[in-house]
Amino acid sequence: MTEQIGIRCALMRGGTSKGAYFLAADLPSERGARDRVLLAVMGSPDARQIDGVGGAHPLTSKIAVVSRSNRLGCDVDYLFLQVIPDKAIVSDSQNCGNILAGIAPFAIERGLVAPTGERTNVRIYMVNSESMAELTVETPRGRVRYDGDASIDGVPGHHAPVVQAFLDTEGSQCGALLPTGHAVDEVAGVRCTLIDNGMPVIVMPAAAFGLGGYESVAQLEGNAALKERLEVLRLEAGPLMRLGDVRAQTVPKLSLVAPPREGGMIATRTFTPFSLHTSIGVLGAVTVATACLLPDSPAHEMARIPEGAVKRCDIEHPTGRLTVQLELEPGTGEAVKIRRAALVRTARMLMDGTVYVPASAREPTAAPEA
């Protein structure tokens, strides 16, 4: 009988994503061994992920690694890892604001943070982007509350709200909000905005690809010629965004935008980048909303811009909308400086127990691709 290794793990839904949450101490400390274990946990590389707990889609093949923080003013550190279902790749090249929604509940459930009353604030250091977020969760009687009256598009039912505030996400991975210094660049013949306000994103008009921008997920997923063209553009944009060769990375994302038609700020169709997101990522939405505020950007030309220094930005996506609140820094003239970005997500503990992987998963012969 092949020996197996048991590892404590929680499966949680965070926002519109689902993933496996681990304490860092429960995983191998060496990166190669850790990644081999996580590939086995998820069942990659296999498009069905039939031999693991992954959900056969990038949105359900995610990992959170959490530990108590030694940083001043932080409660926990959060490392996000994206496992590609059909490839032996575990990527730390991006953050994830949806999986983030489950970090505060997980930290409280695991005893890393003590509840402080009816609501508990948890300050989280996001390792991938070296930035901070503060989450507020409901903790009546000292327990995490998961049921409530908050709802988000892309998730059935109602749940307790998780309020997320992002404090310093500008240039999280590219070193600057606009890594090229321009609100508009031409890449592979397409006018676009290369931008990073928490997530590196290429924002470009859907019309540049002969699209309306309101196509269904199935229509765009089945468009092989579009995917091929987008990947050519993404590979060219990588070095311009200070990300280097992004061939094996999951950033930058690609967001096709169009004028809103459901009363929102902008309509989006976002590639993750190898498949179409059924909604839009949290930090991706923050970044696209920021692009809409840049006067010279292609997105600005078609966006419906809210009035005031605190702007409610409803980002339309294939399954509804995601609402982002952007608070602008006063006195910056035409320059856009985001003081604070906030939004409401929900999360739920789905399972807490032990996940098993073959003992051979730790062996270097099963090393993942770079």
Side-chain angles (χ1 to χ4, degrees):
M1 180 181 295
T2 302
E3 182 184 355
Q4 294 206 104
I5 299 169
I7 305 169
R8 192 175 184 192
C9 170
L11 289 181
M12 298 189 70
R13 176 187 60 77
T16 55
S17 293
K18 184 166 61 176
Y21 289 62
F22 295 91
L23 291 177
D26 290 336
L27 293 172
S29 58
E30 193 274 318
R31 178 172 177 166
R34 180 203 69 191
D35 288 358
R36 289 189 292 274
V37 166
L38 294 179
L39 287 168
V41 165
M42 284 297 176
S44 292
D46 171 37
R48 299 173 304 157
Q49 293 184 317
I50 197 67
D51 199 37
V53 301
H57 190 280
L59 299 186
T60 54
S61 185
K62 298 185 173 189
I63 300 285
V65 182
V66 184
S67 58
R68 185 175 277 110
S69 183
N70 294 320
R71 294 174 172 83
L72 184 65
C74 294
D75 296 307
V76 296
D77 293 347
Y78 153 51
L79 172 68
F80 170 71
L81 299 170
Q82 176 73 64
V83 178
I84 307 301
D86 60 349
K87 296 180 174 65
I89 293 176
V90 179
S91 173
D92 64 357
S93 62
Q94 67 175 79
N95 208 339
C96 180
N98 274 304
I99 290 297
L100 172 67
I103 298 300
F106 177 77
I108 295 170
E109 298 276 14
R110 284 291 192 268
L112 300 182
V113 176
T116 57
E118 291 296 303
R119 291 179 177 81
T120 300
N121 295 330
V122 180
R123 289 178 65 88
I124 299 166
Y125 179 77
M126 299 182 290
V127 176
N128 306 71
S129 57
E130 299 182 341
S131 58
M132 286 284 300
E134 183 174 84
L135 270 61
T136 303
V137 296
E138 297 186 356
T139 52
R141 298 176 299 281
R143 299 291 299 274
V144 177
R145 180 186 178 196
Y146 294 106
D147 65 305
D149 56 9
S151 64
I152 58 175
D153 288 334
V155 176
H158 293 76
H159 306 84
V162 177
V163 180
Q164 298 183 175
F166 298 100
L167 309 178
D168 55 353
T169 54
E170 183 176 304
S172 62
Q173 295 176 69
C174 299
L177 180 69
L178 299 171
T180 68
H182 309 124
V184 59
D185 289 283
E186 185 168 311
V187 182
V190 176
R191 291 179 67 249
C192 54
T193 298
L194 309 179
I195 184 170
D196 173 12
N197 195 15
M199 179 66 69
V201 183
I202 306 168
V203 182
M204 50 202 154
F209 299 88
L211 301 170
Y214 316 109
E215 288 80 5
S216 69
V217 172
Q219 286 174 314
L220 294 178
E221 276 287 4
N223 191 333
L226 171 65
K227 286 186 172 182
E228 183 177 341
R229 188 177 173 193
L230 288 174
E231 183 62 4
V232 169
L233 189 150
R234 193 179 76 90
L235 294 178
E236 185 175 323
L240 298 176
M241 298 182 75
R242 310 178 193 175
L243 298 170
D245 184 355
V246 297
R247 200 176 313 273
Q249 296 187 43
T250 54
V251 290
K253 309 301 187 190
L254 306 108
S255 194
L256 308 179
V257 296
R261 67 174 187 180
E262 301 294 339
M265 181 187 203
I266 195 82
T268 63
R269 296 293 184 269
T270 301
F271 284 84
T272 65
F274 306 116
S275 61
L276 188 76
H277 204 307
T278 54
S279 53
I280 188 172
V282 168
L283 290 165
V286 170
T287 299
V288 170
T290 304
C292 290
L293 300 182
L294 302 175
D296 297 328
S297 73
H300 184 83
E301 298 169 3
M302 61 186 74
R304 182 178 291 120
I305 308 297
E307 297 293 330
V310 178
K311 301 183 183 297
R312 172 178 167 148
C313 307
D314 292 321
I315 310 300
E316 298 176 8
H317 55 71
T319 52
R321 65 174 66 186
L322 194 159
T323 300
V324 176
Q325 185 183 83
L326 296 182
E327 182 179 343
L328 304 186
E329 196 76 49
T332 54
E334 291 190 0
V336 174
K337 178 71 174 177
I338 308 298
R339 169 186 284 179
R340 183 177 183 270
L343 63 156
V344 172
R345 298 275 84 190
T346 66
R348 190 167 76 86
M349 176 79 76
L350 305 176
M351 185 282 294
D352 190 8
T354 303
V355 65
Y356 291 91
V357 298
S360 59
R362 289 177 178 265
E363 299 300 322
T365 53
E369 297 174 8

